[in-house]
Amino acid sequence: MTAPLAFWSTPTGDVLGALGTSATGLSAGEARTRLAARRPHGPRRMPGWLRSLIRQFASPIILILITATIVSMALGDPLDGSIILAIVTLSGLLGFFQEARAGNAVAELLASVQVTADVLRDGAPASVPVAELVPGDVVLLSAGSVVPGDCRLLDGDELQVDESALTGEAFPAEKDPDAEVHLDAPLAQRANSVFFGSHVVSGEAHAVIATVAADTQYGAITHDLREHTSTAFEKGITRFGMLLVWLMVVLSLFIFAVNAIAGRGIIAAMLFAVALAVGITPQLLPAIVSLSLSSGARRLAASKVIVKRLDAIEDLGTITVLATDKTGTLTEGAARLDKAIDPAGAESERTLRLASLNAGLQTGFANPLDAAVLARSPLPVGSVALDEVPYDFKRKRLSVVTAVDGVPTLITKGALASVLQVCTAAPAGVERLFESLSDDGFRVLGIASRPLAAGEVVDRSAEVGMTLEGLLCFLDPPKASAADALRDLESLGISMRLITGDNARVAVAVAKAVGLDTAKVLTGSEIDRLGAAGLAQAARDTYVFAEVEPDHKKRIVQALRTLGESVAFLGDGINDTPALHVADVGISVDTGVDVAKQEAAVVLLDKGLDVVADGVRLGRQTFANTLKYIRMSTSSNFGNMLSMAIASMFLPFLPLLPRQILLLNFLGDLPSTTLAADYVDPERLAQPVKWDLKEIRRFMFVFGPVSTCFDLLTFGVLIWGVHADEMLFQTSWFVVSTLTEVSALFSLRTTRPIWRSRPALALAIAAILVGAIAVAMPYVPFIAEPMGLIPLDGPVLAALAVIALAYIAANEIAKAFFFRRQRRAQRSG
């Protein structure tokens, strides 16, 4: 086995040779060959579709049922066993096709927001999905780029990389392609290399990829973590499943013992008990959850919201706070340079010219403010950059060197306070002018310059002794729709927090224009003086945060979460990445930098609060429809199993044949496959939702026994009223159980009275068809005979119909008391 390449301590030429590449990168053909040759270590993994298919039949109770069925067939009952196996197969295939449909839909959506990297292919720049990069590729890195693998730098210009995910160091690491690094140097000291899991803060470079994906130092760790990480929704499903397992084991063992003692045969008793265990288990739950979430993902995509992982839909439904920058959300997001003035406030052509040179010659991250400068004053023809000091978030300045009137000149642009720090003096009145402009909603940058001495080295230390040339005043007016969007979010129980790097006066002006509370404003310098507890207390009733740096944004989000809030953070820049990482829901936009899109769980195709509100509603709708299936199927199945346990103690025969139980379970699940598109009552969308196992358990223990009561009523009618024999009893109970399950679907899908909540058309049609099929089956000989069903006469059918109607009425009464009590508990809580 070849030892891994220690690329950080190996000469660059040797690294390129070992990787079989050059400084101009790979050819497209060679890259395709290397990509095809990449295989996971160890045995080849089973295809995803085959794993999904096997998973449908891999639960312990399904395996027990199949084993017991095969034993039954071997002992001389091939027909019964064949029917049971056929029903189990149909149920498994239904789940498989639903999951496959969901998976295909999600794959299509993810392809639309995949992160790409700029690489050299055939010697020319090309944009390639990160997942398709291979060792030997030469990548072009610039501000905002994710580092797509462990790489050796080939060249670089003022490159700074955020390696906090790898080293824990909050400040960006400065990189030097020519640095000599010892073989045993820790990762934080490998200045000539960059690593997967980091991103570029400023500067640019070319680097050759040595390892990718799980072969990287960070990738191997995160791969293992991803394999074992469960979301809150998944954990809730797991706890709920354990509850069902406990009930299933207790009732199944009891029913098996009763039937065995009654002399109905060990195999028959086992088949009956195991079929009941299958019956209480919501077999289609994984498929229904996947279908609901993928259907929600498609609807979100139609509303210009792409979820990168399905569980983010559940997260969207839970948010109580949305934190965002102002640009593009509260404002139009298309800043224009309104005026370029000298320090006295007069329009200045020199200020505009210097700004144009600075904006047009810088080669780092494309900045919308630079675009606004160049839209007002294009870069003069023939201008050439002689040197550059890229922007970073600590200096908050960007400098370029170019000839001005034939003299090499350093031109610096940035936040006014930062620019004044490197000037010899602040002109009189400039700070008052700055405050006045900020109060009027202008974002103000300073522009300064200094002629350079012959041969002077230009780096960050050169930004000294400068002269303030003037101010650049940008205007990004508030969106006309922003105030309405804020009210819309408030109606959903979501409060807004404005978090911006702009100065406090600009932030307050924008906040007031859109109706945000500005009674308290917290600045970055004030945050620095607060500990975690103090910031949490201050953040409780602060809605505007200004003059903040990336770490401040992260701390604000963490503080809000410690208050019990579920926080979504909307950001699209490099400086937003720390906050995106710690938020409950990270939201970016498709025009954001790669690292922001990579970190976010949700990507917007249109940056606006109205889009976020639509996403929250659809997230809550999807979550609500998923819970409908869980509530209805478990309460119905629990009630049926409880009824079976009671009936087994008194009847001289099995209440239902095992194949009838499985068929009932299969038919009952069919309408639920349409729940993903069901309507949700408006009041269910008005507040954040969350997984509540206690509420689901209470629901099951209330409505399950209601179902049992009507099953016992059915027993009484059949035994004492109709004097039913075994086949008539089983047929009648099969039919009425299907009808009551369909009835429960209409009643329990809503907290409202049944007549005040309209189901989706597909759900109504599917439920009615299933009810009709169940009633018709006893009259179709080639179905009735193998299933052990017989035709029912008119009076029996009428009695069953009356019982089904009475069951709906009882559910409505129980529902009114249950949800009234729940609402009182929520208000008192």
Side-chain angles (χ1 to χ4, degrees):
M1 182 175 178
T2 305
L5 176 65
F7 54 88
W8 59 91
S9 62
T10 304
T12 304
D14 293 343
V15 171
L16 292 172
L19 294 170
T21 188
S22 69
T24 58
L26 301 172
S27 68
E30 175 63 18
R32 284 193 298 269
T33 301
R34 294 189 182 192
L35 183 62
R38 280 175 51 197
R39 291 287 184 269
H41 297 302
R44 290 186 61 182
R45 296 187 66 185
M46 188 183 299
W49 67 268
L50 185 55
R51 289 199 307 274
S52 176
L53 181 60
I54 292 174
R55 188 169 58 247
Q56 309 303 321
F57 304 97
S59 73
I61 57 172
I62 294 294
L63 294 176
I64 292 171
L65 177 63
I66 292 173
T67 302
T69 302
I70 292 172
V71 172
S72 174
M73 294 171 70
L75 293 177
D77 193 2
L79 178 62
D80 196 48
S82 299
I83 292 171
I84 291 174
L85 290 178
I87 295 171
V88 171
T89 301
L90 283 173
S91 295
L93 289 175
L94 178 63
F96 167 70
F97 285 121
Q98 296 290 8
E99 285 196 9
R101 176 184 168 195
N104 292 338
V106 173
E108 292 175 6
L109 294 176
L110 290 180
S112 66
V113 292
Q114 63 185 348
V115 175
T116 61
D118 292 330
V119 302
L120 292 177
R121 290 277 171 89
D122 296 315
S127 182
V128 176
V130 168
E132 296 179 12
L133 297 180
V134 294
D137 266 323
V138 173
V139 294
L140 291 72
L141 301 173
S142 60
S145 298
V146 296
V147 178
D150 288 354
C151 311
R152 175 63 182 266
L153 292 173
L154 302 179
D155 58 47
D157 182 15
E158 300 284 350
L159 186 69
Q160 294 192 60
V161 178
D162 183 341
E163 295 181 337
S164 56
L166 299 165
T167 65
E169 175 57 56
F171 295 100
E174 296 187 12
K175 296 295 182 176
D176 178 5
D178 300 320
E180 292 187 6
V181 179
H182 190 268
L183 175 64
D184 297 326
L187 186 145
Q189 295 177 16
R190 298 175 188 175
N192 60 9
S193 303
V194 290
F195 297 90
F196 181 62
S198 60
H199 66 271
V200 179
V201 174
S202 63
E204 55 186 16
H206 289 75
V208 60
I209 297 179
T211 59
V212 295
D215 294 330
T216 63
Q217 298 197 34
Y218 183 66
I221 300 170
T222 57
H223 179 268
D224 290 339
L225 291 176
R226 284 196 298 268
E227 290 292 322
H228 297 93
T229 298
S230 296
T231 65
F233 185 79
E234 291 168 336
K235 289 176 182 175
I237 291 282
T238 300
R239 292 196 303 271
F240 169 67
M242 293 306 296
L243 170 65
L244 290 183
V245 167
W246 181 83
L247 287 171
M248 178 188 69
V249 169
V250 172
L251 290 175
S252 295
L253 289 176
F254 174 78
I255 291 169
F256 170 71
V258 168
N259 282 280
I261 293 170
R264 292 167 190 158
I266 296 296
I267 296 299
M270 180 182 293
L271 275 175
F272 181 66
V274 175
L276 280 177
V278 174
I280 197 175
T281 306
Q283 282 176 271
L284 285 185
L285 179 58
I288 296 294
V289 170
S290 295
L291 187 63
S292 295
L293 294 180
S294 63
S295 175
R298 289 195 300 272
R299 291 198 304 274
L300 286 168
S303 297
K304 300 183 178 181
V305 179
I306 304 295
V307 291
K308 291 171 57 182
R309 61 176 203 276
L310 287 181
D311 56 82
I313 295 177
E314 185 265 342
D315 294 335
L316 270 176
T318 67
I319 64 173
T320 57
V321 170
L322 174 63
T324 180
D325 192 1
K326 63 182 180 60
T327 306
T329 50
L330 300 180
T331 66
E332 293 292 344
R336 69 173 187 270
L337 180 59
D338 194 74
K339 47 192 172 184
I341 56 179
D342 62 23
E347 287 283 348
S348 169
E349 284 298 322
R350 177 174 172 80
T351 298
L352 183 60
R353 180 188 175 202
L354 293 176
S356 174
L357 289 168
N358 178 282
L361 295 176
Q362 71 97 6
T363 59
F365 176 62
N367 189 311
L369 296 183
D370 288 335
V373 170
L374 296 173
R376 169 81 179 269
S377 175
L379 180 68
V381 177
S383 300
V384 176
L386 304 177
D387 212 333
E388 179 177 357
V389 185
Y391 181 88
D392 66 62
F393 294 105
K394 285 297 178 185
R395 292 165 42 249
K396 296 184 179 180
R397 299 186 297 270
L398 164 69
S399 296
V400 297
V401 178
T402 188
V404 177
D405 299 328
V407 178
T409 303
L410 180 68
I411 306 171
T412 298
K413 176 177 95 273
L416 180 61
S418 175
V419 171
L420 288 176
Q421 288 176 359
V422 297
C423 290
T424 53
V430 73
E431 292 185 357
R432 287 195 300 275
L433 176 60
F434 169 77
E435 292 173 357
S436 175
L437 290 167
S438 297
D439 286 338
D440 290 336
F442 287 102
R443 181 174 183 181
V444 181
L445 299 183
I447 194 93
S449 70
R450 176 174 72 83
L452 294 178
E456 183 176 351
V457 176
V458 175
D459 55 22
R460 292 177 180 82
S461 64
E463 295 175 334
V464 292
M466 305 190 75
T467 300
L468 183 71
E469 298 283 359
L471 307 179
L472 304 174
C473 308
F474 300 88
L475 193 62
D476 184 10
K479 281 186 176 179
S481 60
D484 289 338
L486 276 176
R487 285 190 290 269
D488 193 15
L489 287 168
E490 288 175 1
S491 73
L492 294 171
I494 299 171
S495 65
M496 170 70 74
R497 299 294 196 279
L498 170 60
I499 305 178
T500 178
D502 281 352
N503 72 77
R505 293 174 181 272
V506 173
V508 167
V510 172
K512 284 182 176 178
V514 299
L516 202 59
D517 185 353
T518 60
K520 286 182 64 178
V521 178
L522 205 58
T523 64
S525 59
E526 292 169 333
I527 291 172
D528 285 333
R529 294 193 292 270
L530 295 172
L535 179 56
Q537 185 63 32
R540 187 184 300 277
D541 55 357
T542 300
Y543 295 87
V544 180
F545 301 84
E547 301 171 21
V548 296
E549 296 176 0
D551 190 60
H552 294 141
K553 296 184 179 184
K554 174 182 175 180
R555 290 188 60 202
I556 293 165
V557 171
Q558 290 173 323
L560 290 168
R561 293 187 67 194
T562 63
L563 296 174
E565 304 285 2
S566 179
V567 183
F569 183 85
L570 172 57
D572 59 359
I574 310 168
N575 57 334
D576 296 319
T577 305
L580 287 167
H581 180 71
V582 299
D584 292 284
V585 188
I587 306 176
S588 190
V589 294
D590 66 332
T591 55
V593 298
D594 284 343
V595 67
K597 288 193 292 183
Q598 177 178 272
E599 197 64 58
V602 177
V603 178
L604 307 181
L605 302 183
D606 182 13
K607 189 176 183 181
L609 297 182
D610 50 345
V611 177
V612 176
D614 289 342
V616 169
R617 284 193 181 88
L618 285 168
R620 292 180 184 178
Q621 179 179 340
T622 300
F623 187 61
N625 281 336
T626 303
L627 286 182
K628 284 179 186 178
Y629 173 74
I630 293 172
R631 283 174 171 170
M632 291 186 293
S633 66
T634 52
S635 59
S636 175
N637 293 348
F638 173 63
N640 286 340
M641 197 164 188
L642 195 58
S643 303
M644 294 284 190
I646 297 171
S648 296
M649 292 188 292
F650 300 104
L651 291 178
F653 49 79
L654 293 176
L656 282 179
L657 298 176
R659 57 182 180 268
Q660 293 169 344
I661 295 171
L662 296 173
L663 181 60
L664 171 63
N665 194 45
F666 176 71
L667 289 175
D669 275 340
L670 283 176
S672 298
T673 61
T674 66
L675 272 174
D678 190 27
Y679 299 123
V680 176
D681 300 330
E683 61 270 18
R684 303 292 290 180
L685 304 178
Q687 293 297 323
V689 294
K690 63 179 180 178
W691 179 268
D692 188 346
L693 181 60
K694 291 181 179 178
E695 192 269 345
I696 293 171
R697 188 169 58 225
R698 287 195 301 270
F699 192 95
M700 181 174 68
F701 287 145
V702 168
F703 291 95
V706 170
S707 173
T708 299
C709 289
F710 277 85
D711 285 339
L712 297 178
L713 174 62
T714 304
F715 297 166
V717 170
L718 293 175
I719 294 171
W720 294 304
V722 180
H723 304 290
D725 60 13
E726 180 177 353
M727 291 191 71
L728 178 58
F729 185 96
Q730 291 168 346
T731 302
S732 300
W733 199 10
F734 173 82
V735 171
V736 79
S737 293
T738 308
L739 292 177
T740 53
E741 196 157 332
V742 169
S743 302
L745 193 64
F746 287 108
S747 177
L748 301 184
R749 55 170 290 279
T750 175
T751 61
R752 293 180 172 187
I754 192 171
W755 58 88
R756 289 188 53 220
S757 180
R758 180 167 59 94
L761 180 61
L763 176 63
I765 291 174
I768 293 170
L769 277 177
V770 165
I773 289 170
V775 171
M777 274 184 172
Y779 303 93
V780 183
F782 68 87
I783 296 177
E785 185 175 342
M787 292 306 304
L789 304 174
I790 61 173
L792 303 175
D793 58 26
V796 173
L797 277 177
L800 299 181
V802 170
I803 290 172
L805 291 172
Y807 174 63
I808 294 176
N811 265 336
E812 289 298 302
I813 293 169
K815 190 171 67 176
F817 282 104
F818 180 86
F819 287 111
R820 187 181 304 145
R821 179 182 176 186
Q822 186 186 69
R823 285 190 288 269
R824 281 201 303 267
Q826 289 173 344
R827 285 195 295 268
S828 63

